[in-house]
């Protein structure tokens, strides 16, 4: 124990059966009970007055970030709250408020990030659809104006030197023929069924692996995961995606990016409840076009 006056070490001395603490530096004698009481009071006061500013700020920023996370901008106050909460915990400030700030900030960051990513993908799809519509409407308008050059006859007079209209490279795909085989040309992408197999997911439950060739005919690098949307239905109920135990190259290719003009074999796994027939549907992902190609396969 230290001397409260000079901070020197105290030595225990016993006088008439009673113990005292003697400072060898300032020669002061102290009562042990008094010193211990002063130390406890000092510790209690320090504990009661521990700083809470960072903890309070982290909780406030976390709550604000969580409330604004649905609008995407909540990610900014949520990140600030997360950083303040980490600092508050590291400096042993109010633990309860710091944990509350950390939790609300983390939830706000996750929600805002998901909304921002989803919004970006939807905006890209909308922009693509808007560009196609704008060019199509412009060509229709030009064609209509050319057809109305002869108002007296009321009939369209084709130009003598007109050339046949060339189809657009990214024109809207036609509805595939119902041939019970998926060979779907979406314009930018092509999906062609190549086979299926029965396996087990990580829990040992049966699952169906659908294999197909994915061709990227767009001008950008992309993957089957971002371009094609494969659905499997059994007994009229959509089958959930499965985590395949023995992952092979085709299943890994599902999220592999390919350059324009490249074809890659892809595999997707789906949970099944029995060995009855299943229906497979293929369509373009992130698109408002409802065109799809379907087929029915027998599992037995």
């Amino acid at each position: 124990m230290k001397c409260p006056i000079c901070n020197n070490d105290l030595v225990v001395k016993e006088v008439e059966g009673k113990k005292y603490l003697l400072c060898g530096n300032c020669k002061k004698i102290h009562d042990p009970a008094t010193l211990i009481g002063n130390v406890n009071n000092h510790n209690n006061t320090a504990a009661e007055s521990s700083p809470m500013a960072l903890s309070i700020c982290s909780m406030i920023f976390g709550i604000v970030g969580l409330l604004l996370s649905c609008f995407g901008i909540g990610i900014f106050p949520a990140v600030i709250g997360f950083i303040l909460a980490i600092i508050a915990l590291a400096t042993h400030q109010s633990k309860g408020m710091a944990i509350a700030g950390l939790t609300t900030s983390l939830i706000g960051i996750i929600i805002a990030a998901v909304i921002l990513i989803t919004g970006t993908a939807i905006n890209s799809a909308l922009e693509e659809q808007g560009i196609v519509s704008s060019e199509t409407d412009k060509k229709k308008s030009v064609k209509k104006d050319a057809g109305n050059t002869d108002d007296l006859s009321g009939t369209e007079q084709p130009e003598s030197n007109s050339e046949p209209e060339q189809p657009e490279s990214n024109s809207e795909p036609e509805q595939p023929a119902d041939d019970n085989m998926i060979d779907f040309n979406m314009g930018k992408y092509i999906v062609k069924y190549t086979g299926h197999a029965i396996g087990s997911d990580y829990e040992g439950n049966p699952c169906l692996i659908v294999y197909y060739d994915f061709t990227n005919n767009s001008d950008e690098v992309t993957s089957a995961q971002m371009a094609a949307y494969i659905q499997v239905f059994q007994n009229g109920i959509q089958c959930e995606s499965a985590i395949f135990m023995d992952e092979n190259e085709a299943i890994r290719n599902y999220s592999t990016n390919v350059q324009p003009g490249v074809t890659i074999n892809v595999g997707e796994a789906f949970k099944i409840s029995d060995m009855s027939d299943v229906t497979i549907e293929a369509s373009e992902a992130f698109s408002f076009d409802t065109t799809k190609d379907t087929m029915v396969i027998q599992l037995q």
Side-chain angles (χ1 to χ4, degrees), residues 58-195:
S58 70
M59 186 173 65
I60 293 175
F61 276 102
I63 294 174
V64 173
L66 182 60
L67 293 176
L68 297 179
S69 61
C70 295
F71 303 99
I73 60 174
I75 193 171
F76 300 108
V79 169
I80 297 175
F82 182 81
I83 296 174
L84 293 178
I86 295 297
I87 297 175
L89 290 174
T91 55
H92 305 288
Q93 295 200 14
S94 178
K95 188 175 181 181
M97 291 185 180
I99 292 177
L102 183 68
T103 304
T104 53
S105 298
L106 188 59
I107 296 174
I109 291 173
I110 294 174
I111 295 176
V114 171
I115 290 177
L116 288 174
I117 294 173
T118 305
T120 301
I122 293 176
N123 286 336
S124 299
L126 289 173
E127 288 177 1
E128 290 183 4
Q129 293 296 324
I131 292 174
V132 171
S133 298
S134 177
E135 292 178 355
T136 304
D137 293 341
K138 185 184 295 184
K139 290 187 176 183
K140 287 182 178 179
S141 177
V142 172
K143 185 177 179 180
K144 183 177 180 181
D145 293 340
N148 291 333
T149 54
D150 190 357
D151 294 332
L152 296 176
S153 62
T155 59
E156 295 185 3
Q157 300 295 330
E159 298 180 6
S160 58
N161 295 327
S162 62
E163 296 181 358
E165 225 179 274
Q166 298 297 327
E168 299 180 26
S169 58
N170 293 329
S171 60
E172 295 291 337
E174 298 181 357
Q175 186 71 33
D178 189 9
D179 55 358
N180 199 36
M181 177 60 65
I182 292 179
D183 190 358
F184 187 21
N185 187 345
M186 310 176 200
K188 292 183 178 180
Y189 319 106
I190 298 177
V191 171
K192 183 177 182 180
Y193 167 84
T194 58

Side-chain angles (χ1 to χ4, degrees), residues 213-229:
D213 284 340
F214 169 72
T215 303
N216 179 16
N217 284 336
S218 69
D219 298 329
E220 300 177 353
V221 174
T222 189
S223 64
Q225 182 179 16
M226 299 301 297
Y229 183 39

